[in-house]
Each structure stands twice: as C-alpha cells, then as structure tokens.
C-alpha cells in the first residue's frame, strides 16, 4: 500500500534533465502530466517524449519552455504549437523502432508515466488501450508511475503489467479520451468502394486512422473470414465482428485473434475490447514487425498520404517543411503486406485538398519528407479509381496516377509529365 500516493507525491521523483516517456494516444495520463506541470518552477530541461497524445498537455505550454521540452515521436494537432514556440521538436522514426531506443539503451528512460486499469486479485493491471512503446519504456525506466483508472478497459497480451513493476500508483478516475467517428463524405465513400473491391475473403486487415478506412470497412459486409493485425484498432471492426465477417479463422499468425497495439474510438469500442480474449494488445515492435505481418496471407494495408508525386513517392508526415504527423507504421505495413502471399498495400486519399489543390503532384513540395518510397508502393487509390504501380516503369506509373487524379488537374499533370519524361 505504500506505493499508493497522490500524483503530486509521485512526481517528486522527477529531476532536472530527466527523460520522461508518456503513454500516449487515448490513454494519455493527463492527471500525471498536470501534476508534473505544477513542478515547473523546480525543474529545468526535462525532456518529455511520446507518440501522439490527447487533450491539453499542460507541460507543453510555451511559458514552461525552460522546464520542459516536448519530443514528439509522432506528431499530433495538440502539439503543433511547440514547433512555433520552440519548446519541442519531432523525431522521425518508425513506431516499431521506438522500443529499440530504450531496450538498447540508446536513450536512458528516467521516468515512465502510464495509465492503467485497477489491479486484479493477482496484482496485474492492464495498459488497456495503448501499449505501443510505453511497455518498453516502463521496463527500462528508473521509475514507473501509473495512474490507475477504473474506466480504463482491460486488454490482454503485452498490456498486462504487475504492480511489482510499478514504483508509484496514483488512483484517479476520469473519462478515457475518445475519438468519435464522423460520417464519411461522398468522396471518401467512393474511395472505400474502390478499396473494398481489392479485398478478398480470408484477408487480414491493417486499417489506419480516418474516414477512408471507416468508409472501406462499411463496404466489407459481404466478405467472409477476415482477420485483423493492425497497429491501431478503430471503431469499424466492432460491427464486422458482430456480423461474423471478422473472425480471424484464416490467419496464420495469432489465428482467431484481433492483434493491435493501441485503440482509439468511442466507449462502444472500449467496452468491446474490455476483457475480450479475442483482442490482443501487443507491443509495437511485434505488431509492426514485417516478418510477422507477412506471414498472414492476403494481408491488406490501408494508409493515407498528404501528396504523391508522379513517380510514386509518398509524403505522409509533412506539408512541405511543416511537420504534420509522423512515420508511424506505414512503411512497416506497406512492406509486410507486399511480401504477404496475395497481400496488397494501398495508399488512399482524396484527389484534392480542401483548397482544391491536387494531391497527385509532379514533384513533392520543397522540404516534404518521403515516408514511403516509390519502390515500396503497390496501389494508390482516389475517388477516381485505383492505380497499380508495382512493377511499372516511371512512364507507366505516371500515366496510371494521372488517370486517377482529379479531372481539373489532369492537364497540368500531363504537361508536367511531358517535361519530365525525357529525364526518365
């Protein structure tokens, strides 16, 4: 019982120049971060790392820049201001590589901040809806502080954590962050139809975040024996499980299981995963390991892009030099699906931005980062169809991409291609 303390008491272990890893996504332990922020005037140069987080992260407020520096390993909207205010930065890294930073002691973790379910009678808590790299940070940290929340769902797999592995336990009940679904637009629904047409019975799915994956799921009701192996689990799978469409019966790895690393949705999804033996929440280096992904036949990877150039290069983490998100697991699943027997990796996006600019472009914007190379890409989908790029030369892939661009921009792309092709 000596481990049970207040958040303010627990956060006293943090010292100036410490490195803190924070469990992220919808499991962000805001109560602990608020307590840390209250110590700002006692601390300097504390580095705080995480993947995307939710809510107003008090330690990221610009006026605390002398105390805290935010190191985003996957950027989220609530962190956008830290780049402009010079109290944070972005580290380009595959999500699957983040645990290696800790396990190989490339970075020393001083404190890990977690958000867990109450311990069971054997003393095991669950990290619930976000395992990602937080488990690796916890096993390497000098101090582990866990916020215990009775509203945190209990998931199995790598999510389980014994209280003996935790130094301080902070009881605090608060609603879990949610990510409500929004109704896909007509464009997104059309993209979903194009993607669903590529998916066969017995496929295993990796679905990214956003309306396009949701729209695709809505078109899968006629399919049979689908499986799920994904870094992120979202709302759409619940209905397909209830309909019997998803059962994992044809998976070769984790047969019959839904494998994920973090979960983002509404309370309906959280109630579905709570103590559900079908759902396994694993560390990100397992879910995103190419050698594991490829073992499931007909692996389908669906990811998004900010822009794609005529050679097939995919920018997904920045708009020019402006950081937008991160590498995430796109490349892991693109490659894993491509190597899977009968697998398909699909990059999907609407053909235009909200400003009417083409997302298929002659050249990526100056400063834009290439997340997925042109050699990785298999399929690109917009509302105007699907371009298969695998095995195509630069001339043929440019023509295929122009064919699925918005009609208003096809002439511009044709003219650009005419100038470029002499170099190709």
């Amino acid at each position: 019982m000596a481990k049970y303390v207040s958040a303010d008491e627990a956060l006293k272990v943090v010292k100036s120049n410490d490195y803190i890893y924070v469990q992220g996504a919808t499991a962000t332990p805001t109560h602990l971060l608020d307590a840390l922020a209250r110590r700002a005037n006692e601390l300097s140069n504390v580095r705080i790392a995480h993947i995307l987080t939710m809510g107003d992260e008090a330690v990221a407020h610009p006026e605390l820049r002398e105390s805290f520096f935010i190191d985003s390993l996957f950027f989220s909207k609530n962190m956008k201001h830290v780049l402009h205010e010079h109290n944070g930065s972005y580290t380009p890294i595959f999500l699957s590589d983040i645990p290696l930073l800790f396990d190989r002691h490339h970075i020393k973790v001083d404190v890990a901040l977690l958000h867990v379910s109450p311990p069971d009678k054997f003393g095991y808590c669950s990290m619930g809806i976000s395992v990602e790299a937080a488990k690796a940070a916890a096993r390497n940290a000098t101090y582990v502080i866990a916020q215990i929340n009775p509203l945190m769902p209990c998931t199995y797999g790598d999510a389980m954590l014994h209280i003996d592995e935790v130094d301080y336990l902070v009881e605090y009940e608060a609603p879990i962050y949610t990510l409500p679904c929004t109704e896909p637009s007509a464009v997104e629904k059309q993209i979903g139809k194009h993607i669903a047409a590529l998916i066969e019975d017995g496929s295993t799915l990796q679905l990214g975040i956003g309306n396009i994956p949701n729209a695709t799921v809505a078109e899968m009701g006629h399919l049979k024996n689908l499986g799920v192996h994904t870094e992120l689990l979202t709302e759409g799978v619940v209905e397909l499980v209830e309909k019997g469409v998803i059962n994992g019966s044809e998976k070769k790895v984790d047969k019959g299981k839904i494998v994920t690393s973090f979960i983002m949705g509404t309370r309906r999804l959280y109630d579905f995963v709570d103590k559900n033996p079908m759902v396994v929440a694993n560390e990100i280096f397992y879910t995103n390991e190419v050698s594991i992904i490829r073992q499931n036949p007909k692996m389908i990877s669906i990811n998004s892009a900010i822009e794609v150039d005529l050679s097939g290069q995919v920018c997904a983490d920045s708009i020019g030099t402006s950081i937008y998100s991160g590498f995430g697991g796109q490349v892991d699943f693109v490659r894993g699906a491509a190597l899977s027997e009968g697998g398909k990796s699909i990059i999907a996006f609407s053909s235009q931005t909200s400003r009417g600019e083409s997302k298929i472009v002659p050249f990526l914007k100056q400063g834009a980062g290439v997340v997925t190379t042109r050699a990785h890409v298999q399929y690109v989908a917009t509302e105007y169809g699907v371009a298969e790029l695998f095995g195509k030369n630069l001339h043929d892939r440019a023509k295929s991409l122009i064919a699925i661009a918005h009609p208003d921009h096809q002439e511009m792309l044709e003219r650009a291609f005419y100038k470029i092709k002499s170099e190709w």
Side-chain angles (χ1 to χ4, degrees):
M1 293 301 296
K3 291 186 176 186
Y4 284 83
V5 298
S6 69
D8 290 317
E9 184 67 25
L11 271 298
K12 287 181 180 178
V13 302
V14 177
K15 307 182 302 298
S16 294
N17 303 309
D18 272 358
Y19 181 100
I20 298 176
Y21 187 85
V22 181
Q23 184 179 351
T26 43
T28 304
T30 300
H31 181 59
L32 299 182
L33 290 171
D34 287 346
L36 180 58
R38 288 193 288 272
R39 290 202 57 213
N41 61 356
E42 306 168 26
L43 300 168
S44 63
N45 194 38
V46 174
R47 185 175 166 196
I48 299 173
H50 46 59
I51 61 168
L52 62 92
T53 58
M54 305 287 282
D56 178 23
E57 196 171 308
V59 291
H61 290 185
E63 61 268 24
L64 304 184
R65 63 168 59 85
E66 298 301 320
S67 303
F68 308 114
F69 186 86
I70 309 301
D71 188 356
S72 291
L73 303 171
F74 187 96
F75 223 68
S76 47
K77 289 181 180 178
N78 65 334
M79 290 294 106
K80 186 70 175 176
H81 64 282
V82 304
L83 299 180
H84 302 298
E85 299 290 347
H86 310 295
N87 63 319
S89 189
Y90 158 62
T91 299
I93 189 170
F94 300 128
L95 287 188
S96 55
D97 280 350
I98 299 173
L100 299 181
L101 294 176
F102 312 139
D103 287 335
R104 295 179 179 176
H105 308 297
H106 184 79
I107 289 177
K108 178 182 179 293
V109 182
D110 296 295
V111 183
L113 301 183
L114 308 180
H115 192 173
V116 302
S117 69
D120 63 19
K121 64 181 180 180
F122 302 107
Y124 283 94
C125 304
S126 172
M127 296 173 70
I129 52 177
S130 186
V131 178
E132 30 100 1
K135 188 69 175 285
R139 66 171 165 265
N140 288 285
T142 304
Y143 293 101
V144 177
I145 302 172
Q147 175 181 324
I148 293 179
N149 187 351
L151 299 181
M152 174 63 75
C154 175
T155 57
Y156 302 121
D158 294 335
M160 302 308 290
L161 184 78
H162 198 273
I163 57 173
D164 286 349
E165 302 172 78
V166 181
D167 296 286
Y168 296 103
L169 301 163
V170 178
E171 292 182 302
Y172 186 79
E173 181 174 337
I176 302 296
Y177 287 110
T178 58
L179 188 71
C181 290
T182 57
E183 179 66 20
S185 67
V187 166
E188 290 162 340
K189 288 179 180 178
Q190 187 59 48
I191 297 169
K193 289 178 181 178
H194 289 317
I195 297 172
L198 297 172
I199 301 173
E200 306 171 67
D201 292 343
S203 295
T204 296
L205 309 175
Q206 177 256 327
L207 302 166
I209 196 169
N211 279 355
I212 291 176
N214 291 338
T216 304
V217 166
E219 298 293 331
M220 295 184 189
H222 64 288
L223 294 169
K224 300 176 182 177
N225 302 327
L226 298 182
V228 176
H229 184 109
T230 185
E231 66 182 11
L232 168 63
L233 190 67
T234 54
E235 199 86 6
V237 301
V238 178
E239 187 172 347
L240 292 185
V241 172
E242 291 173 348
K243 289 180 177 179
V245 174
I246 291 176
N247 56 34
S249 62
E250 295 189 26
K251 292 178 69 178
K252 300 299 183 187
V253 179
D254 299 305
K255 193 180 186 72
K257 302 292 186 182
I258 293 174
V259 175
T260 185
S261 193
F262 54 104
I263 299 160
M264 300 177 72
T266 67
R267 194 69 222 183
R268 179 193 183 202
L269 176 62
Y270 300 158
D271 290 342
F272 169 76
V273 303
D274 185 38
K275 297 178 181 176
N276 186 342
M278 186 182 190
V279 178
V280 180
N282 281 333
E283 293 193 56
I284 202 75
F285 70 72
Y286 177 87
T287 59
N288 289 36
E289 171 54 48
V290 172
S291 65
I292 294 170
I293 296 167
R294 68 179 296 182
Q295 291 181 53
N296 283 314
K298 302 178 186 176
M299 184 73 209
I300 302 294
S301 165
I302 304 171
N303 288 283
S304 62
I306 293 172
E307 58 181 3
V308 175
D309 73 13
L310 288 178
S311 75
Q313 295 186 113
V314 177
C315 172
D317 71 340
S318 67
I319 301 173
T321 57
S322 178
I323 300 301
Y324 180 79
S325 56
F327 269 67
Q330 181 173 123
V331 178
D332 298 323
F333 279 96
V334 163
R335 192 61 182 151
L339 295 173
S340 160
E341 183 179 350
K344 300 181 180 78
S345 70
I346 304 159
I347 302 295
F349 52 91
S350 57
S351 65
Q352 293 191 119
T353 69
S354 59
R355 297 179 179 180
E357 299 169 343
S358 182
K359 292 186 183 179
I360 295 176
V361 294
F363 309 101
L364 300 181
K365 290 182 177 64
Q366 184 174 355
V370 175
V371 168
T372 299
T373 73
R374 53 196 178 198
H376 281 97
V377 178
Q378 279 194 317
Y379 295 88
V380 176
T382 72
E383 69 270 30
Y384 292 101
V386 178
E388 184 175 2
L389 304 189
F390 181 65
K392 287 186 175 178
N393 62 40
L394 292 173
H395 286 202
D396 290 340
R397 59 177 49 210
K399 292 174 183 176
S400 297
L401 288 167
I402 292 169
I404 63 166
H406 193 283
D408 290 352
H409 303 293
Q410 288 185 355
E411 182 178 348
M412 174 274 292
L413 293 169
E414 290 279 7
R415 290 178 180 275
F417 173 53
Y418 180 78
K419 293 178 181 178
I420 298 169
K421 69 179 182 179
S422 62
E423 304 292 331
W424 287 356

